[in-house]
Amino acid sequence: MSHGLVVVGGSYAAAQIAASAREQGYAEPIRIVSEEPRGPYQRPPLSKGYLAGKVLPAALPLRSEAFYRDSKVELILGARAESIDLSGRSVVLSDGRRLAFDRLALATGARPRPLPVPGGGLEGVLFLRSLADADALRTRLAEATDVVIVGAGFIGLEFASVAVAAGKKVTVVEMQDRVLARAVAPGLAAFIADVHRAKGLDIRLGATVKELRGNRRVESVICGDGTSIRADLVLLAIGVIPNVELAQAAGLACQDGIIVDRFATTSDPRIVSAGDCTRHPSAYADQPLRLESVQNALDQAKTAAATISGVAKPYDTVPWFWSDQYDLKLQMVGLAAGHDSAVTRGTPSDGRFSVFYYRRGSLIAIDSVNKPGEHMLGRKLLTARLSPTPEQAADSGFDLQGLMAKA
Amino acid sequence: MPAVVYILKDGSERRVEVPEGTSVMLGAIQNNVPGIEAECGGCCSCATCHVYVEPAYADKVPPPDLTENDLLSGVAAERKPSSRLSCQINMTAALDGLTVRIPEKQSL
Ligand SMILES: Cc1cc2nc3c(=O)[nH]c(=O)nc-3n(C[C@H](O)[C@H](O)[C@H](O)COP(=O)(O)OP(=O)(O)OC[C@H]3O[C@@H](n4cnc5c(N)ncnc54)[C@H](O)[C@@H]3O)c2cc1C
Ligand code: FES
């Protein structure tokens, strides 16, 4: 009897592995095991429209019940995979069940990084990763007056936009000397910080947190320099840690991520992995990297599913990401890290422009603000390895689309 | 409840009821209608929820806003005058029977 595929994890990568495996003709049983009480759902709205009440719970599921039923994908919810028995080819669940498999897919994702300071356990100190987290945060936000966010990454700034719009006094404490330090170049970071400040956000750069104080409930955040900031709600948004423990205990190669090759195969040929939990080679980077994005989870999952179905489909999609903050639509394509020059197309004061990043004369990334067309074109250019000169990119009158047509 | 008719890639039709206040994209996702990927979940950021609105409904659907119009320039399949991003078409009673055709592909 065939045991088929077991997928551990319950989000973008897990659902896409199952869906793509079926599309590729994989006909054996497929079971998805997730520790969450609900099937795969969208996370991006959790820090955006869902918190603001603009996206309703019914809009969150990634796939319908009909999908799981019609595609014969079994969802095992509320159960955690505790260990992998490689020789016995099975996964042991927290409820004691043992699931035998022929192929295993790890889509365990990532979890918020804890802040190792006293007071982290006080009431009112929250993280944001799951729908349960978002519901807790929303309830708290309604009652809060002083909100402190630790970390000026995407989730921190998106939550800040929602909290400011809700009329709260909001402070962001960031260790680096700019916002979004990991994601965007200094010029764009400064532009984004200005937009937030103009809306009333208090951004403290180069500031650390040494303690969260309160009596059962959090009351203040104490910074490294001794400054105290009043807080009745603290969101810790200082990045994520990949969930590698399950893979590591089974002896799979891991290094801040489950190591996979271009075909999403782990160090064990029967096991694939995709999404936030992997460290993978990329045609767009010199070093294997870990990405935290919907694009990466979906596209790598498609590769993992192809591998399981016996089709070799290397993962080489150009990375892209989006973030919505107030009326700023930020879209990023490519990897800007390591650029040696940058030019701007359009006028930042109009709030509509793109920054083109170059390395040794070649285009490597584009960050767009309210320019979705340029973002989409950027995806095509980078995929085709086409590079306008920096002069062409900076000239709004130059027809970039024409470069595609000529290619 | 108003209904949307999706014409699939193989030419077959799927008629599903889509609650007012939700979108044509959501109607497809919630009813497992294949061919609409909606990677960004309706944020108007991905262009993978592209559809062609059938001529009979062209005048009934409110026109795209600036963002949608700009994003439409990047759809993977051919862009036609009838191209729309289905996450940006809100269902209303007036759109009952809206018929949209699903394009050949949604991603590059
Ligand atoms: C608030 C928020 C906003 C975001 N906004 C954006 C955005 O705008 N654009 C964008 O591109 N990306 C965004 N992201 C990132 C994006 O959501 C992630 O990259 C994506 O969810 C990764 O999917 P994944 O399937 O790899 O893992 P995850 O989404 O992390 O899911 C992993 C799942 O596996 C489960 N699991 C883990 N271990 C086990 C186990 N041992 N047994 C059973 N189940 C297990 C977890 O509970 C979880 O359900 C956002 C993320 C958050 C939290
Ligand atoms: S779902 Fe992404 S643009 Fe419509």
Side-chain angles (χ1 to χ4, degrees):
Chain A
M1 193 190 96
S2 166
H3 299 301
L5 167 68
V6 169
V7 185
V8 178
S11 184
Y12 286 92
Q16 192 62 48
I17 289 171
S20 295
R22 287 294 185 239
E23 276 163 29
Q24 301 266 2
Y26 185 82
E28 312 297 331
I30 299 180
R31 289 176 287 182
I32 294 179
V33 183
S34 174
E35 64 192 349
E36 292 199 57
R38 51 183 69 78
Y41 57 87
Q42 299 183 56
R43 297 193 197 279
L46 301 183
S47 50
K48 310 178 181 82
Y50 180 75
L51 271 187
K54 288 182 202 143
V55 174
L56 300 177
L60 293 179
L62 288 177
R63 305 264 169 183
S64 60
E65 279 169 28
F67 162 79
Y68 298 104
R69 191 183 58 234
D70 299 349
S71 320
K72 296 199 169 54
V73 172
E74 187 189 346
L75 276 181
I76 301 174
L77 300 176
R80 197 180 153 72
E82 296 288 358
S83 64
I84 305 168
D85 173 357
L86 278 185
S87 52
R89 291 199 183 193
S90 60
V91 174
V92 181
L93 306 191
S94 46
D95 60 10
R97 262 187 292 179
R98 188 177 271 273
L99 303 181
F101 63 80
D102 297 321
R103 303 302 299 262
L104 178 65
L106 299 177
T108 48
R111 61 179 182 274
R113 181 181 296 281
L115 182 68
V117 300
L122 287 168
E123 213 188 297
V125 180
L126 302 173
F127 292 100
L128 179 52
R129 183 76 190 177
S130 66
L131 183 53
D133 294 339
D135 285 333
L137 192 57
R138 189 149 81 160
T139 308
R140 272 281 166 186
L141 182 63
E143 302 160 357
T145 51
D146 299 87
V147 176
V148 175
I149 299 163
V150 184
F154 286 112
I155 293 177
L157 291 184
E158 287 174 356
F159 177 62
S161 326
V162 175
V164 167
K168 311 295 172 181
K169 181 171 177 347
V170 190
T171 309
V172 172
V173 180
E174 168 59 53
M175 197 167 72
Q176 305 286 331
D177 59 2
R178 58 185 157 107
V179 303
L180 299 172
R182 247 181 352 131
V184 309
L188 183 57
F191 173 87
I192 294 169
D194 284 347
V195 170
H196 281 276
R197 288 200 179 99
K199 298 274 183 184
L201 181 64
D202 181 353
I203 305 179
R204 314 260 177 110
L205 297 173
T208 56
V209 169
K210 69 173 179 195
E211 191 182 345
L212 303 174
R213 263 189 216 155
N215 177 9
R216 197 176 62 88
R217 278 184 74 144
V218 71
E219 286 162 19
S220 61
V221 172
I222 312 297
C223 297
D225 64 0
T227 319
S228 167
I229 310 170
R230 249 182 81 118
D232 48 9
L233 168 56
V234 175
L235 178 71
L236 300 179
I238 54 168
V240 296
I241 301 177
N243 292 322
V244 301
E245 290 76 5
L246 187 66
Q248 210 154 28
L252 300 182
C254 295
Q255 194 187 5
D256 182 39
I258 301 170
I259 294 182
V260 295
D261 64 14
R262 292 166 69 221
F263 301 98
T265 304
T266 66
S267 57
D268 183 315
R270 287 164 302 179
I271 308 179
V272 294
S273 182
D276 278 17
C277 61
T278 70
R279 180 167 293 277
H280 58 271
S282 165
Y284 299 89
D286 300 335
Q287 299 285 327
L289 75 170
R290 198 159 60 67
L291 292 172
E292 297 151 15
S293 70
V294 167
Q295 171 277 319
N296 177 61
L298 294 178
D299 290 329
Q300 201 177 27
K302 290 176 188 169
T303 288
T307 298
I308 288 166
S309 314
V311 182
K313 178 185 183 293
Y315 171 42
D316 54 12
T317 321
V318 60
W320 63 267
F321 189 84
W322 81 91
S323 173
D324 294 320
Q325 298 166 30
Y326 303 109
D327 46 5
L328 292 185
K329 175 169 291 298
L330 305 174
Q331 290 168 295
M332 284 133 270
V333 57
L335 299 169
H339 69 276
D340 51 31
S341 66
V343 297
T344 300
R345 183 181 178 86
T347 332
S349 56
D350 297 347
R352 289 162 52 80
F353 63 100
S354 296
V355 184
F356 287 60
Y357 299 96
Y358 287 84
R359 187 177 176 189
R360 286 186 234 108
S362 296
L363 181 68
I364 56 168
I366 303 174
D367 289 344
S368 301
V369 179
N370 295 332
K371 276 285 193 188
E374 276 174 11
H375 167 77
M376 294 307 292
L377 182 61
R379 285 203 220 169
K380 291 182 184 170
L381 290 172
L382 288 164
T383 300
R385 306 261 167 193
L386 288 172
S387 183
T389 65
E391 293 73 28
Q392 291 170 335
D395 175 3
S396 303
F398 180 81
D399 175 23
L400 291 173
Q401 198 91 40
L403 286 179
M404 284 303 302
K406 269 186 236 137
Chain B
M1 205 186 285
V4 175
V5 178
Y6 300 87
I7 306 176
L8 308 188
K9 281 183 253 185
D10 64 6
S12 65
E13 291 185 7
R14 279 279 306 275
R15 184 186 179 85
V16 306
E17 293 194 332
V18 181
E20 281 184 66
T22 70
S23 69
V24 172
M25 176 278 280
L26 217 50
I29 299 295
Q30 291 179 338
N31 292 283
N32 199 23
V33 174
I36 290 183
E37 291 177 14
E39 290 178 348
C40 77
C43 289
C44 205
S45 292
C46 72
T48 64
C49 63
H50 180 201
V51 295
Y52 301 116
V53 173
E54 285 287 284
Y57 294 87
D59 297 338
K60 297 207 172 110
V61 184
D65 67 11
L66 193 70
T67 303
E68 181 190 345
N69 194 38
D70 198 19
L71 190 56
L72 273 167
S73 67
V75 292
E78 186 194 348
R79 179 181 185 178
K80 301 179 186 168
S82 62
S83 286
R84 290 299 305 267
L85 295 176
S86 57
C87 68
Q88 301 302 307
I89 306 179
N90 286 322
M91 262 333 262
T92 56
L95 288 182
D96 186 29
L98 173 66
T99 304
V100 297
R101 188 177 288 274
I102 290 176
E104 263 320 294
K105 57 177 184 171
Q106 296 286 5
S107 39
L108 299 178

